[in-house]
Amino acid sequence: MSGAARPEPRLVPHEDDDRLARDTAARVLEVLENAQGERGEATVVLTGGSMGTRVIGEVARSADAALIDWSRVNVWWSDERFLPGADPERNGVQAADAWDDSLELDWDRVHPVAGADEMDSAQDAARDYREELAAAAESEGLSAGLPRFDVALLSLGPDTHIASLFPGRQDVLREDESVFSVEDSPKPPPTRVTMSLGTINSAERVWLLVSGAPKAEALATVRRPGVTPVQAPGSAARGRQETLWLVTEDALPGVPQDPDGSPANDA
Ligand code: 6PG
């Protein structure tokens, strides 16, 4: 995976959580609408986390949701906790609660990671997800085993993790599998399934959500020049066309300032 030729991340500050959630939802809807205009379908990769889930709720509640043909939206998750399928701690369950039956999705296009009640192990669930991705890619006429992702949402953890890629671990660099299991996550639950960094970065757009003062240090770390993907996985997320760091202002104090006092690289 190489992000070298890709546009640098653009920092987009928001007044507060509400504005971040609403503005991100509006951006998601715009991408989905444009993608459907171009190809007849659209694909989004969702994330867990409180802000990721809130954005889904805002998408579902937005008046502009009516502009989307939800039966032609493909939904994937960048990671999942390996728990029974209906467990409320699962990212997929939290997302479904957030969209609350209001989106008329085609369930054949919604791809939760298999739960611990369906698969014997997280390795099996990861293999199953790779196969689902490869089948979707094939149906789109793509050869690399991954479908086109119009946008991938990520939520930055306080330790700079994204999906289930945690700092200080070599699996951040794994390129052998598009999706793999994590057996000893430092954040509970220990067993998870995650897209690789390369898979996440195959998305056209990667948007990193960073909300609240407790994320200020993590945001400063991912922005530190020279920081490596292993030191701060969130620093290495890069979309093909665009990378946005969608942040709340209270996450900004640790960010280097331009001489005029505004956050560097402001949108
Ligand atoms: C998990 C969570 C986690 C979360 C981040 C950010 O699987 O443990 O989904 O990865 O996305 O920690 O969470 P918040 O947005 O709630 O801070």
Side-chain angles (χ1 to χ4, degrees):
M1 189 277 307
S2 164
R6 302 188 176 201
E8 282 301 302
R10 195 154 58 88
L11 184 74
V12 188
H14 297 75
E15 211 173 295
D16 55 29
D17 278 11
D18 285 342
R19 294 292 289 271
L20 175 61
R22 278 202 306 274
D23 289 357
T24 305
R27 287 176 189 273
V28 169
L29 288 164
E30 190 183 355
V31 166
L32 298 183
E33 191 186 357
N34 288 340
Q36 286 192 334
E38 284 163 22
R39 306 199 310 285
E41 64 178 337
T43 302
V44 60
V45 181
L46 298 179
T47 180
S50 47
M51 184 49 67
T53 307
R54 231 168 119 176
V55 168
I56 297 166
E58 291 294 339
V59 165
R61 278 191 295 278
S62 167
D64 287 349
L67 301 173
I68 309 298
D69 176 356
W70 291 99
S71 72
R72 298 188 63 81
V73 175
N74 308 302
V75 182
W76 301 88
W77 276 267
S78 55
D79 77 321
E80 187 54 277
R81 299 164 173 190
F82 189 62
L83 296 169
D87 193 297
E89 292 295 313
R90 275 178 50 105
N91 295 335
V93 172
Q94 291 174 6
D97 285 347
W99 68 56
D100 195 22
D101 289 339
S102 54
L103 306 179
E104 290 184 10
L105 290 154
D106 171 352
W107 297 107
D108 287 343
R109 291 180 181 267
V110 178
H111 302 276
V113 176
D117 48 349
E118 294 172 85
M119 295 280 160
D120 288 340
S121 67
Q123 291 99 305
D124 287 349
R127 180 187 32 73
D128 180 68
Y129 217 53
R130 288 196 298 272
E131 288 170 3
E132 272 194 61
L133 285 164
E138 203 181 324
S139 74
E140 292 178 19
L142 300 173
S143 56
L146 295 174
R148 178 188 166 100
F149 300 135
D150 294 299
V151 58
L153 292 172
L154 297 170
S155 194
L156 186 70
D159 59 353
T160 74
H161 84 263
I162 48 169
S164 289
L165 301 171
F166 293 90
R169 301 160 64 104
Q170 293 305 310
D171 58 6
V172 176
L173 303 176
R174 270 186 74 171
E175 293 187 26
D176 57 329
E177 304 279 23
S178 60
V179 176
F180 50 81
S181 62
V182 174
E183 312 289 341
D184 53 353
S185 158
K187 183 179 178 187
T191 311
R192 292 155 174 263
V193 171
T194 188
M195 286 185 176
S196 70
L197 185 58
T199 299
I200 292 168
N201 285 355
S202 73
E204 297 301 317
R205 298 165 191 81
V206 170
W207 297 348
L208 189 62
L209 300 166
V210 189
S211 72
K215 300 286 175 69
E217 201 180 319
L219 180 59
T221 303
V222 300
R223 299 198 69 205
R224 191 180 303 142
V227 72
T228 67
V230 172
Q231 288 168 338
S235 68
R238 291 283 185 285
R240 289 180 192 277
Q241 294 182 27
E242 177 182 76
T243 304
L244 297 183
W245 290 343
L246 301 168
V247 311
T248 55
E249 283 170 5
D250 56 359
L252 283 172
V255 171
Q257 304 281 307
D258 277 343
D260 68 357
S262 59
N265 195 22
D266 199 347

